[in-house]
Every structure is written in C-alpha cells, then in structure tokens.
C-alpha cells in the first residue's frame, strides 16, 4: 500500500532522490527569501510598520534554504540544478501568484494594493507549506538526520501563516475585505493547479531515480489527480479562510537563528 510516509522514506534513503528533494526545497526557499527582502525594501510609506515583519519572513526563508543545503553537506552531497517543471515558486510567479519580479527589481515603492495582494498570496502558499511540514514532522519528527531541521522549519511556517492571517484580518477591518477575498480565491484556485503539476513532475523524476514500476507510478499519478479533484471541489476553501491566530504578532521579533545548520 502506498503511503506518504513510505514514499518519503524511499526518497530519504536514496542519495540521488534526497539530493533532488533538498535542491528543489532549497531553491524555493532562497527565491522566497529574495522576494520578501525586496518587498520589505519597497513597502510604501504608509505601511512601513510591516517592513520588519516582511524582513523577518524573508530571513526565515533564507535560513530554510541554508538548512536544506546543510542536510546535503552532511551526506557529502552537492545540490543539483532544479528541473524547471518542478520549480514551484518560479511557476507561481509565472502564473501571477506573487508580485512580478520585474516590479520587485525596480526601486519604486510598492502600492498598498501590492502589499495586500502579496499577503493574500502568502496566505495561500504558506498554508501549503505549513501542511507539508506538519506532515513531515508527524512522520519524521524523531528522525536522527531530519528531525531537528523539520521541527525548526515547521515552527517558522506556522509563524508565517499566523502572520498572514493577522495582517489580512487587520486590513479587512480597514476596508479591504473585498480585494482580499477575491485575491485569496483566485490565488487558491491557481495554486492547486500548479501544485498538482509540480507534484506530477517531482514524482516523475523520483520514479526514474528510484526505478519505480509502472503500476506504482500510475497509482501515484492517480492519487495526485485525485487530490487535485478534491481540492478543486472544495478543499481549496482551507486556503482562503481567515481567523485570528493563537500566535499573535508571530513575526514581531528578530529571526530565530539555526546555529546547528
């Protein structure tokens, strides 16, 4: 029987598969760090109180990238180029989730609307990240090689998600509710398609590395399509609901260092 735990165990146990997994993860985190750093630098004057939190978010993403690289180094592995079809963050940006990179490369301040759109997009993608890390902690939280790293990243992702909830609710109360609702819905429906396509691409590469039989690969493809169908019918609502989090001001302090990595 195919299980998420079993699949990840196969990836962890094989150096080439683990190398690809960590390379994809590190690349995405590094891009997220750059994006948040640029957004923090371009926050409009009327919203400067958000800049330290966005900076903290970017610093956390950079830290996660370093953690994945450190996991590779501990095995004596070098990162590999990320196949474009598996690059989740790049594909998100190409499909309009996240602020355009050409805008972030300029030195012009962003608008209030840009920041609201950024937070809405982050609400959706951080839900995905938090759910994935929660799953990894459940299955591998006590793993001697990965446990400490995934606990640290999971805690950060929960902070990022809480921050998005709190700031979007504050902006909704300030009169931006309609824009937030529309952007969340559009982002979630786009994200689930991209996540499906990236999942298919990643599992295709893993199947070739791990030499999965055709029947196993076919079952995984069917499972990924089934998950997309569930999310398309209604599962996406989890990504757009807003509720005041238990963790208040989750990004209000300095980044938490990762000295072990």
């Amino acid at each position: 029987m195919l299980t998420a735990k079993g699949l990840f165990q196969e990836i962890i146990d094989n150096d080439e598969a683990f190398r690809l997994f960590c390379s994809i993860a590190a690349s995405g985190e590094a891009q997220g760090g750059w994006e948040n750093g640029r957004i923090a630098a371009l926050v409009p004057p009327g919203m400067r109180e958000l800049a330290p939190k966005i900076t903290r978010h970017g610093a956390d993403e950079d830290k996660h990238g370093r953690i994945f690289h450190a996991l590779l180094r501990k095995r004596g592995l070098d990162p590999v180029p990320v196949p474009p079809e598996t690059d989740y963050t790049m594909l998100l940006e190409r499909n309009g989730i996240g602020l355009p990179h050409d805008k972030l490369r300029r030195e012009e301040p962003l608008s209030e609307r840009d920041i609201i759109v950024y937070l809405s997009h982050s609400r959706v993608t951080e839900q995905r990240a938090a759910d994935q890390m929660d799953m990894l902690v459940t299955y591998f939280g006590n793993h001697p090689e990965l446990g400490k790293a995934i606990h640290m990243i999971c805690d950060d992702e929960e902070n990022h998600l809480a921050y998005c909830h709190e700031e979007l609710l504050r902006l909704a109360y300030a009169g931006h509710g309609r824009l937030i609702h529309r952007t969340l819905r559009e982002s979630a429906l786009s994200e689930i398609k991209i996540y499906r396509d990236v999942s298919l691409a990643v599992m295709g590469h893993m199947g070739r590395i791990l030499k999965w039989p055709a029947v196993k690969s076919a079952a995984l493809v069917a499972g990924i399509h089934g998950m997309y169908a569930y999310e398309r019918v209604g599962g996406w609502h989890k990504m757009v609901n807003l509720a005041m989090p238990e963790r208040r001001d989750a990004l209000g302090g300095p980044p938490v260092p990762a000295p072990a990595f």
Side-chain angles (χ1 to χ4, degrees), residues 173-214:
Y173 295 145
H176 301 286
R178 187 165 296 179
L179 171 61
I180 291 169
H181 175 77
R182 183 174 68 250
T183 307
L184 285 172
R185 184 180 188 280
E186 292 171 354
S187 300
L189 291 174
S190 294
E191 192 278 344
I192 62 174
K193 293 179 184 177
I194 294 165
Y195 183 72
R196 175 201 60 190
D197 294 344
V198 168
S199 297
L200 290 169
V202 170
M203 287 300 106
H205 283 279
M206 293 300 177
R208 286 188 286 276
I209 292 170
L210 296 168
K211 296 180 172 57
W212 285 337

Side-chain angles (χ1 to χ4, degrees), residues 40 49 99 113 121 146 159 163 182 185 190-191 195 215:
E49 74 282 357
L99 298 178
R113 186 183 188 281
H121 291 165
L146 303 181
N159 283 338
Y163 144 78
R182 183 174 68 250
R185 184 180 188 280
S190 294
E191 192 278 344
Y195 183 72
V215 65

Side-chain angles (χ1 to χ4, degrees), residues 36 57 88 97-98 115-131 157-158 160-169 180-181 183-185 187-188 191 235-245:
N36 279 279
H57 190 176
Y88 173 75
I97 300 180
I115 299 301
I116 294 168
V117 168
Y118 148 73
L119 286 168
S120 299
H121 291 165
S122 295
R123 157 71 184 99
V124 170
T125 56
E126 292 298 338
Q127 183 71 60
R128 181 73 71 186
D131 288 348
E157 300 296 3
E158 290 293 342
H160 300 166
L161 188 56
Y163 144 78
C164 291
H165 275 271
E166 187 172 3
E167 296 302 332
L168 284 171
L169 284 171
I180 291 169
H181 175 77
T183 307
L184 285 172
R185 184 180 188 280
S187 300
E191 192 278 344
W236 62 272
H237 288 288
K238 181 181 180 180
M239 294 179 162
V240 304
N241 295 331
L242 293 176
M244 191 57 69

Side-chain angles (χ1 to χ4, degrees), residues 7-257:
L7 292 172
F8 273 103
Q9 189 67 62
E10 286 189 63
I11 291 168
I12 291 167
D13 290 344
N14 180 280
D15 279 351
E16 283 304 304
F18 186 71
R19 190 182 185 197
L20 178 60
F21 171 77
C22 288
S23 297
I24 292 171
S27 174
E29 298 287 359
Q31 181 170 319
W34 177 82
E35 290 173 355
N36 279 279
R38 290 302 300 153
I39 292 167
L42 301 175
V43 170
M47 305 179 82
R48 292 305 301 173
E49 74 282 357
L50 280 176
K53 297 180 181 182
I54 301 172
T55 299
R56 160 84 183 271
H57 190 176
D60 285 346
E61 303 286 5
D62 284 335
K63 178 181 71 179
H64 299 167
R66 293 194 300 274
I67 289 173
F68 283 113
H69 280 299
L71 292 173
L72 288 174
R73 286 196 302 272
K74 286 172 72 173
R75 283 206 193 179
L77 302 172
D78 293 321
V80 294
V82 174
E85 66 275 15
T86 69
D87 194 332
Y88 173 75
T89 49
M90 179 189 72
L91 292 170
L92 289 174
E93 192 263 340
R94 284 185 179 176
N95 284 271
I97 300 180
L99 298 178
H101 284 187
D102 61 342
K103 176 177 284 192
L104 296 181
R105 291 189 181 98
R106 302 174 201 152
E107 295 302 327
E108 303 169 6
L110 299 171
S111 67
E112 184 179 67
R113 186 183 188 281
D114 287 332
I115 299 301
I116 294 168
V117 168
Y118 148 73
L119 286 168
S120 299
H121 291 165
S122 295
R123 157 71 184 99
V124 170
T125 56
E126 292 298 338
Q127 183 71 60
R128 181 73 71 186
D131 288 348
Q132 288 184 323
M133 293 312 303
D134 187 59
M135 176 191 69
L136 286 175
V137 166
T138 298
Y139 295 140
F140 299 103
N142 295 321
H143 192 279
E145 184 181 9
L146 303 181
K148 186 173 183 179
I150 59 178
H151 272 287
M152 185 175 294
I153 296 172
C154 185
D155 189 62
D156 286 343
E157 300 296 3
E158 290 293 342
N159 283 338
H160 300 166
L161 188 56
Y163 144 78
C164 291
H165 275 271
E166 187 172 3
E167 296 302 332
L168 284 171
L169 284 171
R170 181 178 63 80
L171 288 163
Y173 295 145
H176 301 286
R178 187 165 296 179
L179 171 61
I180 291 169
H181 175 77
R182 183 174 68 250
T183 307
L184 285 172
R185 184 180 188 280
E186 292 171 354
S187 300
L189 291 174
S190 294
E191 192 278 344
I192 62 174
K193 293 179 184 177
I194 294 165
Y195 183 72
R196 175 201 60 190
D197 294 344
V198 168
S199 297
L200 290 169
V202 170
M203 287 300 106
H205 283 279
M206 293 300 177
R208 286 188 286 276
I209 292 170
L210 296 168
K211 296 180 172 57
W212 285 337
V215 65
K216 182 173 183 176
S217 294
L220 284 170
V221 167
I224 291 168
H225 282 294
M227 177 58 71
Y228 170 72
Y230 161 75
E231 292 191 332
R232 185 66 183 83
V233 169
W236 62 272
H237 288 288
K238 181 181 180 180
M239 294 179 162
V240 304
N241 295 331
L242 293 176
M244 191 57 69
E246 292 183 10
R247 300 187 185 194
R248 303 294 293 274
D249 196 26
L251 297 186
V256 177

